Amino acid sequence: MSEMRGSNTWRDELASLVDDTGIRYAGEPIGVSSAYVVSGESGSRAVEPESLKDQVKGFAMAWGEIVVELGRGCKDIVQQSLLSEDSYVGRKLQKPCAKVSGRLKYLNEFLPEDRDPAHSWSVIVFVFVLALAGIPGVKMSLLEEFGVRLVSYDLPGFGESDPHPNRNLNSSAFDMLHLANAVGISGKFWVLGHSSGSMHAWAALRYIPDRIAGAAMLAPMINPYAPGMTKEEIKRIWEKWLPRRRLLYFLAHRFPKFLSYFYRRSFLSGKHDRIDNRLFLSLGKKDEILIEEPKFEEFWHRDVEESIRQGTTKPFIEEAVLQVSDWGFRLADLQVHKKCKRKGVLSWLKSLYSEAECELAGFLGPIHIWQTQDNGYHQHLGDLLPLPSYGMDDQAVPPSMTDYIGRILPGAIVHKLPNEGHFSYFFFCDECHRRIFSTLFGVSKGPIDRKVEMDQTPLNGDTEVVST
């Protein structure tokens, strides 16, 4: 009996210590080896032992799962014990949150029905703050007096506006339209453009004329390579610019990739500089006085910092290229003219004994242009009239550009400004702003009536202005 007990293997000894489970091990004895064999129907293969790298990887994955589960548990604890309505924190925050939400309810009139003001108020405030930069220095009391609601926006890629990979002036006009719809402008609205921003206002007149009540342009820029200009007009435009500005337009027209170097050394250099140095301008006396004022300097620095928020030169290059490339339309397309439907032989035969079906095409609303007076001569109706030399010309947008616009669009109303510069009549000038609004809207009619605003087309008084 003792011999039999001594012949028992360790498996038998282990089995004697526990209850019989009915499971029998039929494999080979386990020994110490550097490899083991896995058997199968197709044969056998040797499997290497787990390496240190695999062990560390498995350990890290296991710990990662533990940390994730721990985080979920902590989140549930916080939500159930701190952030629920019955918790101490929930009871303390419930009233302040309800108070803030109630104060923001007025924003619903600017938002789509499916938007909650608590989630969108920061966007509206951002637009509201930048609206003051649409006409720098404009007084809120003046806007209320004339019933004007001023809306300004960032072009794609500037500020916090998302880039548009394939933007052109057509997409720019429809961006304006979508913005107007988003802030609750259901009828017509005015567009206002200053300097190079005017090309976006021109685009609105061309592509969404049915929604535009009128246009106000201050020193409007046109394409210096626009077809249809006479040699004299081209000469008078280009001779006003400094050599660096001419080079900038030439590169934008021919070699736009080189513009990145200029913008990185100017706007994206991280240094503040005068506006005339950044834009390669020669300013007149009145502009020189203006840019030395602290309020203008503060505005200019804030404007530059906002424009380079995304830290890329791409939007600057896009704007420069848009300015000097084919706009997709000509200013002559905005002139009011009759457009008759005469397609095919049948329509031609019909027109022989009856009047053809015609309709007015072009932009039918008013176009007001403010431009500094030329200091040497002024072209009007084909005549050259000598004028006193004030020495205050607009060197950024030469007055000859406005002369070209007046020739192409004779219906445009041009307001000549003696002794003014490129910025002096538009930036931080209370009296100038009042004159502009009086010209556009006549006698002031007081604050906007929100109930009437959504039902009537705003032409006078209750007016929307989209500033570019």
Side-chain angles (χ1 to χ4, degrees):
M1 179 67 70
S2 60
E3 293 179 358
M4 292 180 64
R5 289 180 179 176
S7 63
N8 288 344
T9 64
W10 66 271
R11 289 193 297 272
D12 297 331
E13 295 292 338
L14 180 62
S16 66
L17 298 177
V18 297
D19 295 334
D20 186 6
T21 62
I23 302 175
R24 297 292 183 270
Y25 180 76
E28 296 296 330
I30 300 177
V32 179
S33 174
S34 60
Y36 58 96
V37 177
V38 178
S39 299
E41 295 180 357
S42 60
S44 62
R45 58 185 175 88
V47 180
E48 295 295 332
E50 188 176 25
S51 65
L52 178 62
K53 179 180 180 181
D54 293 334
Q55 294 177 8
V56 172
K57 182 178 179 181
F59 180 80
M61 292 178 63
W63 264 106
E65 294 176 357
I66 294 174
V67 171
V68 170
E69 292 299 328
L70 178 63
R72 290 175 180 173
C74 294
K75 178 182 177 182
D76 293 337
I77 293 173
V78 170
Q79 288 180 340
Q80 294 174 10
S81 61
L82 297 179
L83 300 182
S84 64
E85 294 182 357
D86 298 330
S87 67
Y88 175 79
V89 177
R91 292 194 302 268
K92 288 295 184 179
L93 294 180
Q94 187 174 8
K95 290 184 179 180
C97 290
K99 186 176 181 181
V100 172
S101 179
R103 290 186 175 184
L104 294 175
K105 284 184 178 178
Y106 79 96
L107 293 174
N108 281 335
E109 62 185 277
F110 303 109
L111 300 173
E113 295 180 357
D114 60 342
R115 295 294 182 86
D116 189 286
H119 298 154
S120 303
W121 71 272
S122 59
V123 178
I124 298 301
V125 170
F126 178 73
V127 173
F128 172 77
V129 171
L130 288 188
L132 297 181
I135 304 179
V138 66
K139 296 290 182 63
M140 185 59 65
S141 58
L142 182 65
L143 297 177
E144 293 176 351
E145 178 182 343
F146 282 87
V148 172
R149 175 183 169 199
L150 182 64
V151 179
S152 185
Y153 66 102
D154 290 333
L155 293 170
F158 290 95
E160 294 187 352
S161 180
D162 293 333
H164 191 307
N166 300 310
R167 74 183 182 103
N168 52 32
L169 290 182
N170 182 290
S171 66
S172 179
F174 280 92
D175 284 346
M176 221 178 294
L177 179 62
H178 297 324
L179 172 63
N181 293 335
V183 298
I185 302 175
S186 60
K188 292 186 176 182
F189 55 89
W190 285 74
V191 290
L192 183 149
H194 174 252
S195 191
S196 60
S198 297
M199 66 177 173
H200 302 283
W202 290 124
L205 304 187
R206 174 63 181 88
Y207 293 115
I208 53 171
D210 294 339
R211 292 294 304 275
I212 306 301
M217 309 277 196
L218 292 102
M221 185 77 176
I222 63 171
N223 184 353
Y225 293 96
M229 285 194 295
T230 65
K231 292 182 179 180
E232 181 64 24
E233 289 169 338
I234 295 174
K235 178 183 177 182
R236 291 172 57 197
I237 289 174
W238 285 86
E239 69 182 4
K240 292 287 186 178
W241 288 327
L242 295 176
R244 288 182 297 173
R245 192 169 183 83
R246 298 178 198 170
L247 176 61
L248 187 69
Y249 286 130
F250 173 76
L251 292 177
H253 187 60
R254 296 294 185 183
F255 308 102
K257 291 184 178 180
F258 289 99
L259 290 177
S260 179
Y261 171 80
F262 284 93
Y263 288 122
R264 290 199 177 279
R265 289 181 58 86
S266 56
F267 286 97
L268 276 77
S269 64
K271 301 177 181 179
H272 290 303
D273 200 356
R274 286 166 45 116
I275 190 171
D276 53 339
N277 294 333
R278 283 285 183 259
L279 301 179
F280 307 139
L281 301 177
S282 176
L283 300 180
K285 184 177 180 180
K286 204 160 187 178
D287 279 343
E288 286 281 359
I289 296 174
L290 173 66
I291 68 172
E292 293 295 335
E293 296 184 7
K295 58 184 178 182
F296 183 92
E297 186 177 6
E298 179 185 359
F299 159 79
W300 168 243
H301 291 170
R302 186 176 69 248
D303 192 53
V304 171
E305 291 169 359
E306 186 64 30
S307 67
I308 62 173
R309 177 187 289 269
Q310 301 187 30
T312 175
T313 61
K314 187 174 181 180
F316 291 90
I317 297 174
E318 289 176 346
E319 278 296 293
V321 172
L322 273 179
Q323 184 68 66
V324 299
S325 56
D326 184 6
W327 287 5
F329 65 93
R330 299 187 179 187
L331 292 184
D333 298 337
L334 304 178
Q335 185 176 351
V336 179
H337 59 280
K338 284 186 177 182
K339 185 178 180 180
C340 301
K341 299 179 180 179
R342 292 180 180 177
K343 295 183 178 180
V345 179
L346 184 61
S347 299
W348 177 76
L349 292 175
K350 185 179 179 180
S351 65
L352 296 178
Y353 58 87
S354 64
E355 293 185 1
E357 297 180 3
C358 299
E359 60 181 3
L360 290 178
F363 180 66
L364 306 179
I367 301 175
H368 290 269
I369 299 174
W370 282 265
Q371 175 66 57
T372 184
Q373 187 74 64
D374 202 334
N375 70 339
Y377 48 83
H378 172 53
Q379 185 175 355
H380 180 65
L381 299 180
D383 298 328
L384 295 180
L385 303 178
L387 293 170
S389 178
Y390 296 104
M392 301 290 182
D393 310 4
D394 186 345
Q395 302 291 337
V397 179
S400 50
M401 282 193 171
T402 303
D403 294 338
Y404 168 76
I405 296 172
R407 180 172 67 83
I408 299 299
L409 299 175
I413 305 170
V414 179
H415 307 272
K416 287 292 183 177
L417 305 172
N419 300 326
E420 295 291 347
H422 186 65
F423 305 104
S424 59
Y425 195 78
F426 185 55
F427 285 55
F428 303 99
C429 180
D430 296 340
E431 183 60 30
C432 305
H433 298 160
R434 176 174 292 278
R435 290 176 185 174
I436 292 173
F437 287 153
S438 298
T439 301
L440 298 179
F441 312 126
V443 181
S444 62
K445 294 187 177 182
I448 298 174
D449 184 353
R450 292 293 179 187
K451 295 181 180 179
V452 177
E453 178 192 356
M454 302 303 293
D455 298 329
Q456 294 184 352
T457 300
L459 290 176
N460 295 309
D462 297 347
T463 305
E464 310 287 353
V465 179
V466 174
S467 174
T468 60

